[in-house]
């Protein structure tokens, strides 16, 4: 089953997950790094405090004691006094410092109760000691002043001190982060919704066009971003093409029925006439007319079928290498026979370069070339000429038919390739329906080639077929 997830939801979900992952990773990194930094910092402070306290101790003789400072602390020591300056710091920011004489605490603090029996004094070395499930950093310094022996200063710091600070930061950040993530997700959703709104509009309008009958309608949405502008353009372009192809299909159907209606009407009229007149000659004449109209209809139906098959791709092609030069000569001979007595006395001149090869279907190409020659004859003037040329150029193999006939007006030139288009239906013969050139174009394009025309009224026309060399 297809899940009904919109792009908006997908984008929002993706950003929400990504955001959560990024925030979690950053938090984790931050915690790890800051934990280490804090630990390092506490170790540094422990060391510094213990070392500094060493400077606050002095041994005094009995006589010297009289001159000493009031606030200082005195402990009897080796026949004299040990003077502990009042700057001796026994507690600072979670660090406790104690002064030991022969393993006994004589001054300062030892709240964790880390005794020298459990953790021996080690000169200027950072030790880690565990007591009651908690970890402590321990740093000792031997007092090395004159006359001072057996004295150690020990500093102890609970490693938890740094962690506690960190825990406070985390506790502060924890409620803020989900709120920030929620704001980011909501913002992302709103932006995605706004950004994709034109898409919804396009869908709605496309639906309207689909359910209506007006194909001239166009999509109109605010296109302030490139993607939407391109989509809108593509849609409108497609609608234009659809409209155009529907219109030409309609035109085609109406033209085809019109072209078929005329011969049918003639046949029916001839039948009625023949049934009324009982004379043999009238019968014969009516039958001739009916036969001609039947032939015209048959030719028209055959051409229509050909168009349909070419469009649907169901026309069976026999593609092969063809010697177009030889084919052109054959067509010329055939056409000469077809012109019969040549009442217009037109002269056909050929300039055919031998050995011009193309790849294609012989029947279709014969049809295309014959149509051009027939037209040149049809629209040629009395005692005129037709030039038929085959030659080879960089663009491909060229088949050319030129005449010095009636020519075509400039404004009609683009339309002559359309189906059923006739510049003037009175000037051709009655058998033609305006499909000849459309068929030529279709056949040539089916072979990957193209057509060209040059014409001047009263001077003549030149039709050219360009095919790929085979
Ligand atoms: P038709 O059956 O009317 O000949 P075509 O498709 O062959 O239909 O030609 C379309 C129109 O182009 C014709 O009606 C004619 O007016 C014009 N035409 C075609 N070939 C020539 C030509 N060689 N000289 C002048 N006009 C031509």
């Amino acid at each position: 089953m297809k899940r009904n997830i919109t792009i908006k939801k997908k984008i929002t979900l993706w950003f929400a997950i990504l955001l959560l992952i990024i925030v979690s990773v950053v938090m984790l990194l931050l915690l790890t790094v800051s934990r280490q930094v804090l630990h390092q910092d506490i170790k540094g402070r422990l060391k510094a405090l213990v070392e500094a306290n060493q400077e606050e101790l002095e041994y005094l003789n009995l006589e010297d004691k009289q001159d000493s400072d009031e606030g200082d602390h005195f402990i009897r020591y080796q026949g004299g006094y040990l003077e502990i300056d009042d700057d001796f710091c026994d507690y600072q920011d979670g660090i406790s410092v104690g002064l030991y004489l022969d393993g006994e605490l004589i001054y300062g603090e030892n709240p964790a109760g880390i005794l020298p029996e459990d953790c021996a004094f080690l000169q200027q070395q950072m030790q880690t000691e565990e007591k009651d499930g908690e970890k402590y950093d321990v740093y000792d310094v031997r007092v090395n002043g004159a006359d001072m022996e057996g004295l150690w200063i020990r500093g102890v710091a609970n490693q938890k001190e740094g962690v506690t600070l960190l825990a406070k930061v985390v506790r502060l950040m924890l409620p803020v982060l989900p709120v920030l993530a929620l704001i980011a997700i909501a913002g992302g959703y709103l932006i995605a919704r706004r950004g994709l709104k034109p898409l919804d509009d396009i869908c709605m309008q496309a639906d309207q066009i689909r359910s209506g009958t007006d194909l001239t309608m166009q999509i109109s949405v605010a296109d302030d971003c490139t993607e939407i502008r391109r989509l809108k353009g593509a849609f409108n372009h497609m609608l234009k093409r659809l409209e155009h192809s529907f219109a030409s299909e309609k035109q085609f159907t109406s033209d085809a029925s019109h072209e078929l209606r005329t011969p049918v009407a003639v046949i029916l009229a001839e039948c009625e006439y023949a049934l009324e007149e009982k004379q043999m000659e009238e019968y014969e004449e009516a039958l001739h007319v009916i036969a001609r109209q039947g032939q015209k209809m048959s030719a028209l139906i055959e051409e229509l079928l050909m168009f349909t098959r070419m469009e649907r791709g169901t026309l069976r092609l026999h593609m092969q290498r063809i010697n177009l030069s030889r084919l052109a000569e054959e067509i010329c001979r055939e056409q000469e026979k077809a012109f019969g007595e040549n009442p217009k006395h037109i002269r056909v001149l050929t300039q055919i370069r031998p050995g011009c090869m193309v790849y294609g279907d012989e029947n279709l190409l014969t049809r295309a070339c014959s149509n051009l020659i027939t037209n040149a004859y049809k629209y040629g003037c009395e005692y005129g000429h037709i030039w038929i040329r085959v030659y080879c150029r960089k663009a491909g193999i060229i088949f050319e038919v030129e005449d010095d006939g009636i020519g075509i007006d400039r404004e009609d030139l683009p339309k002559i390739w359309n189906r059923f288009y006739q510049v003037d239906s009175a000037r051709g013969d009655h058998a033609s329906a305006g499909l000849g050139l459309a068929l030529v174009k279709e056949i040539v394009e089916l072979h990957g080639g193209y057509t060209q025309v040059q014409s001047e009224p009263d001077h003549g026309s030149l039709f050219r077929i360009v095919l790929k060399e085979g």
Side-chain angles (χ1 to χ4, degrees), residues 325 328-329 332 348-354 356 386-392 398-400 402:
S325 314
E329 269 159 11
C332 288
V348 178
L349 304 155
T350 56
Q351 289 171 302
I352 297 173
R353 196 192 139 163
C356 291
I386 298 175
W387 293 269
I388 297 168
R389 301 184 194 100
V390 178
Y391 55 94
C392 178
I398 320 268
F399 175 85
E400 216 171 70
E402 191 177 352

Short mmCIF file of all heavy atoms in Angstrom, two decimals, residues 325 328-329 332 348-354 356 386-392 398-400 402:
data_model
loop_
_atom_site.label_atom_id
_atom_site.label_comp_id
_atom_site.label_asym_id
_atom_site.label_seq_id
_atom_site.Cartn_x
_atom_site.Cartn_y
_atom_site.Cartn_z
N SER A 325 19.46 7.23 -57.05
CA SER A 325 19.66 7.67 -58.44
C SER A 325 18.88 6.75 -59.39
O SER A 325 18.15 7.22 -60.27
CB SER A 325 21.15 7.62 -58.81
OG SER A 325 21.91 8.19 -57.78
N ALA A 328 15.15 7.23 -58.90
CA ALA A 328 14.66 8.47 -59.51
C ALA A 328 14.46 8.28 -61.01
O ALA A 328 13.47 8.75 -61.59
CB ALA A 328 15.64 9.60 -59.24
N GLU A 329 15.41 7.56 -61.66
CA GLU A 329 15.28 7.33 -63.10
C GLU A 329 14.04 6.51 -63.43
O GLU A 329 13.30 6.81 -64.37
CB GLU A 329 16.54 6.64 -63.64
CG GLU A 329 17.56 7.65 -64.10
CD GLU A 329 18.97 7.12 -64.16
OE1 GLU A 329 19.15 5.90 -64.05
OE2 GLU A 329 19.89 7.94 -64.28
N CYS A 332 10.97 8.63 -63.06
CA CYS A 332 10.83 9.53 -64.21
C CYS A 332 10.17 8.81 -65.38
O CYS A 332 9.26 9.34 -66.03
CB CYS A 332 12.19 10.06 -64.65
SG CYS A 332 12.85 11.24 -63.50
N VAL A 348 10.65 17.20 -69.63
CA VAL A 348 11.27 16.77 -68.38
C VAL A 348 12.77 16.61 -68.60
O VAL A 348 13.19 15.91 -69.51
CB VAL A 348 10.65 15.43 -67.90
CG1 VAL A 348 11.34 14.96 -66.63
CG2 VAL A 348 9.16 15.58 -67.69
N LEU A 349 13.57 17.31 -67.78
CA LEU A 349 15.03 17.24 -67.91
C LEU A 349 15.61 16.67 -66.63
O LEU A 349 15.22 17.08 -65.52
CB LEU A 349 15.61 18.65 -68.13
CG LEU A 349 15.01 19.38 -69.33
CD1 LEU A 349 15.12 20.87 -69.14
CD2 LEU A 349 15.73 18.93 -70.58
N THR A 350 16.49 15.70 -66.75
CA THR A 350 17.04 15.09 -65.53
C THR A 350 18.53 15.35 -65.41
O THR A 350 19.27 15.38 -66.39
CB THR A 350 16.81 13.56 -65.53
OG1 THR A 350 17.36 13.03 -66.72
CG2 THR A 350 15.34 13.22 -65.44
N GLN A 351 18.95 15.57 -64.17
CA GLN A 351 20.39 15.68 -63.87
C GLN A 351 20.61 14.76 -62.67
O GLN A 351 20.50 15.20 -61.52
CB GLN A 351 20.75 17.11 -63.49
CG GLN A 351 20.72 18.07 -64.67
CD GLN A 351 20.85 19.50 -64.21
OE1 GLN A 351 20.07 19.98 -63.42
NE2 GLN A 351 21.86 20.17 -64.72
N ILE A 352 20.81 13.50 -62.94
CA ILE A 352 20.88 12.52 -61.84
C ILE A 352 22.30 12.00 -61.70
O ILE A 352 22.82 11.36 -62.62
CB ILE A 352 19.88 11.37 -62.07
CG1 ILE A 352 18.45 11.95 -62.07
CG2 ILE A 352 20.02 10.29 -61.00
CD1 ILE A 352 17.37 10.99 -62.46
N ARG A 353 22.89 12.29 -60.56
CA ARG A 353 24.25 11.78 -60.33
C ARG A 353 24.14 10.32 -59.90
O ARG A 353 23.43 10.00 -58.95
CB ARG A 353 24.88 12.60 -59.20
CG ARG A 353 26.36 12.42 -59.14
CD ARG A 353 26.90 12.98 -57.88
NE ARG A 353 27.91 12.05 -57.41
CZ ARG A 353 28.81 12.34 -56.53
NH1 ARG A 353 28.80 13.53 -55.97
NH2 ARG A 353 29.72 11.46 -56.17
N PRO A 354 24.82 9.41 -60.62
CA PRO A 354 24.63 7.99 -60.30
C PRO A 354 25.23 7.61 -58.93
O PRO A 354 26.14 8.26 -58.44
CB PRO A 354 25.35 7.26 -61.44
CG PRO A 354 26.22 8.27 -62.09
CD PRO A 354 25.75 9.63 -61.75
N CYS A 356 23.86 7.53 -55.80
CA CYS A 356 23.53 8.20 -54.53
C CYS A 356 22.69 7.24 -53.69
O CYS A 356 21.56 6.91 -54.05
CB CYS A 356 22.76 9.50 -54.77
SG CYS A 356 23.78 10.74 -55.54
N ILE A 386 10.35 20.72 -66.48
CA ILE A 386 10.52 20.16 -65.13
C ILE A 386 11.96 19.65 -65.06
O ILE A 386 12.40 18.90 -65.94
CB ILE A 386 9.54 18.99 -64.85
CG1 ILE A 386 8.08 19.49 -64.91
CG2 ILE A 386 9.82 18.38 -63.48
CD1 ILE A 386 7.06 18.37 -64.74
N TRP A 387 12.67 20.10 -64.01
CA TRP A 387 14.04 19.60 -63.83
C TRP A 387 14.04 18.65 -62.63
O TRP A 387 13.57 19.03 -61.54
CB TRP A 387 15.02 20.75 -63.54
CG TRP A 387 15.20 21.66 -64.71
CD1 TRP A 387 16.13 21.55 -65.69
CD2 TRP A 387 14.44 22.84 -65.01
NE1 TRP A 387 16.02 22.57 -66.60
CE2 TRP A 387 14.98 23.38 -66.21
CE3 TRP A 387 13.36 23.49 -64.44
CZ2 TRP A 387 14.48 24.54 -66.80
CZ3 TRP A 387 12.87 24.64 -65.02
CH2 TRP A 387 13.43 25.15 -66.19
N ILE A 388 14.56 17.47 -62.86
CA ILE A 388 14.64 16.51 -61.74
C ILE A 388 16.12 16.25 -61.48
O ILE A 388 16.86 15.87 -62.39
CB ILE A 388 13.90 15.19 -62.08
CG1 ILE A 388 12.40 15.52 -62.29
CG2 ILE A 388 14.05 14.17 -60.96
CD1 ILE A 388 11.61 14.40 -62.91
N ARG A 389 16.54 16.49 -60.23
CA ARG A 389 17.97 16.35 -59.92
C ARG A 389 18.17 15.43 -58.71
O ARG A 389 17.38 15.47 -57.77
CB ARG A 389 18.60 17.71 -59.58
CG ARG A 389 18.47 18.70 -60.68
CD ARG A 389 19.18 20.00 -60.36
NE ARG A 389 18.74 21.01 -61.30
CZ ARG A 389 17.82 21.94 -61.06
NH1 ARG A 389 17.29 22.02 -59.85
NH2 ARG A 389 17.46 22.80 -61.98
N VAL A 390 19.22 14.67 -58.78
CA VAL A 390 19.66 13.90 -57.61
C VAL A 390 21.14 14.16 -57.45
O VAL A 390 21.90 14.01 -58.41
CB VAL A 390 19.40 12.37 -57.78
CG1 VAL A 390 19.92 11.61 -56.57
CG2 VAL A 390 17.91 12.10 -57.97
N TYR A 391 21.55 14.60 -56.28
CA TYR A 391 22.98 14.83 -56.04
C TYR A 391 23.31 14.70 -54.56
O TYR A 391 22.42 14.54 -53.73
CB TYR A 391 23.43 16.19 -56.59
CG TYR A 391 22.65 17.38 -56.07
CD1 TYR A 391 23.11 18.10 -54.98
CD2 TYR A 391 21.47 17.80 -56.67
CE1 TYR A 391 22.41 19.20 -54.51
CE2 TYR A 391 20.75 18.89 -56.20
CZ TYR A 391 21.23 19.59 -55.12
OH TYR A 391 20.54 20.66 -54.65
N CYS A 392 24.59 14.77 -54.33
CA CYS A 392 25.05 14.52 -52.96
C CYS A 392 25.67 15.79 -52.39
O CYS A 392 26.44 16.46 -53.06
CB CYS A 392 26.08 13.40 -53.06
SG CYS A 392 26.78 12.99 -51.51
N ILE A 398 20.28 14.66 -51.96
CA ILE A 398 19.21 15.59 -52.31
C ILE A 398 18.43 15.08 -53.52
O ILE A 398 19.04 14.68 -54.52
CB ILE A 398 19.79 16.99 -52.66
CG1 ILE A 398 20.94 17.37 -51.73
CG2 ILE A 398 18.69 18.04 -52.80
CD1 ILE A 398 20.64 18.14 -50.53
N PHE A 399 17.12 15.12 -53.37
CA PHE A 399 16.24 14.86 -54.52
C PHE A 399 15.46 16.16 -54.74
O PHE A 399 14.81 16.67 -53.84
CB PHE A 399 15.26 13.71 -54.20
CG PHE A 399 14.27 13.47 -55.29
CD1 PHE A 399 14.58 12.68 -56.39
CD2 PHE A 399 13.02 14.08 -55.24
CE1 PHE A 399 13.65 12.48 -57.40
CE2 PHE A 399 12.09 13.88 -56.25
CZ PHE A 399 12.41 13.08 -57.34
N GLU A 400 15.56 16.70 -55.96
CA GLU A 400 15.03 18.04 -56.21
C GLU A 400 14.11 18.03 -57.43
O GLU A 400 14.42 17.38 -58.44
CB GLU A 400 16.23 18.93 -56.52
CG GLU A 400 16.12 20.33 -56.01
CD GLU A 400 17.47 21.03 -56.18
OE1 GLU A 400 17.85 21.31 -57.34
OE2 GLU A 400 18.13 21.26 -55.18
N GLU A 402 12.18 20.87 -59.86
CA GLU A 402 11.98 22.30 -60.12
C GLU A 402 11.06 22.45 -61.32
O GLU A 402 11.12 21.64 -62.26
CB GLU A 402 13.34 22.95 -60.40
CG GLU A 402 13.24 24.45 -60.41
CD GLU A 402 14.60 25.12 -60.62
OE1 GLU A 402 15.64 24.43 -60.61
OE2 GLU A 402 14.60 26.35 -60.80
#
